[in-house]
Amino acid sequence: MLLILIGLVIAAATLIAILWSIAYPERRLWPPQRYTTATPVLVWVPTFTLFGILIVLGFMDWGSLPIPSWLRFGIGIPMIVVGNVIVWSEVAQFGIAQTGGAKGSLRTDGMYRYSRNPQYVADIAMIFGWVVLCASEGAALIGLAGIVVLIAAPFAEEPWLKEQYGSAFEDYRETVRRFL
């Protein structure tokens, strides 16, 4: 129960920061207005903690949801693998700092040709795949919270991207979907 509470607090705090950034873009928290030495800690510690909680809950409560084994292994594992391949290949191209909110260049190639947010889509696939694979009630709750955060994040980022890249981002936004 403590892990679920911690996971929900992390997801809620992150969602509040994102919603704040949407409502008050001039005082946004995401993407950060300045990338400092504290930024990676503020971005990656909660992110990896939430993913860690999701994994631990999945093992602790393995099979508590009535999902057939063929679906668990036939859908769950491929989604986790494909999601990881996409996320880490894009992180390798984008860089850890820019993935974590540092200013950089507008990326429109690679998986960004098909989605303006392939890393978020891939993270959602990984979370969904894990929830299906472990069939855990606790992991499903934290997974849903994480997915809500990942769906909201681009709405905070896009005004910043428009501010940073102007017409180049506008042209890109016109031709490439937000998610799929």
Side-chain angles (χ1 to χ4, degrees), residues 1 3-4 52-68 72 127-145:
M1 186 61 165
L3 286 178
I4 291 174
I53 288 170
L54 185 66
I55 291 166
V56 169
L57 286 171
F59 282 121
M60 287 175 56
D61 197 26
W62 190 269
S64 63
L65 293 174
I67 301 174
R72 290 171 61 184
I127 291 171
F128 185 79
W130 176 247
V131 168
V132 170
L133 177 63
C134 69
S136 161
E137 290 177 6
L141 179 61
I142 298 304
L144 178 61

Side-chain angles (χ1 to χ4, degrees), residues 109-121:
D109 58 348
M111 295 305 292
Y112 285 86
R113 288 178 296 192
Y114 311 108
S115 169
R116 295 195 310 261
N117 299 283
Q119 291 184 61
Y120 289 142
V121 172

Side-chain angles (χ1 to χ4, degrees), residues 74-137:
I75 299 293
I77 291 174
M79 290 187 80
I80 293 167
V81 170
V82 169
N84 269 287
V85 167
I86 292 170
V87 163
W88 294 111
S89 67
E90 291 305 323
V91 168
Q93 297 296 318
F94 222 67
I96 297 282
Q98 193 171 347
T99 298
K103 292 179 182 176
S105 59
L106 180 62
R107 186 117 197 282
T108 60
D109 58 348
M111 295 305 292
Y112 285 86
R113 288 178 296 192
Y114 311 108
S115 169
R116 295 195 310 261
N117 299 283
Q119 291 184 61
Y120 289 142
V121 172
D123 283 337
I124 290 168
M126 284 189 296
I127 291 171
F128 185 79
W130 176 247
V131 168
V132 170
L133 177 63
C134 69
S136 161
E137 290 177 6

Side-chain angles (χ1 to χ4, degrees), residues 153-173:
F155 295 94
E157 289 178 7
E158 288 191 352
W160 177 82
L161 290 166
K162 181 179 177 187
E163 177 185 307
Q164 295 298 308
Y165 305 112
S167 62
F169 175 71
E170 287 292 325
D171 294 344
Y172 173 63
R173 190 174 76 175

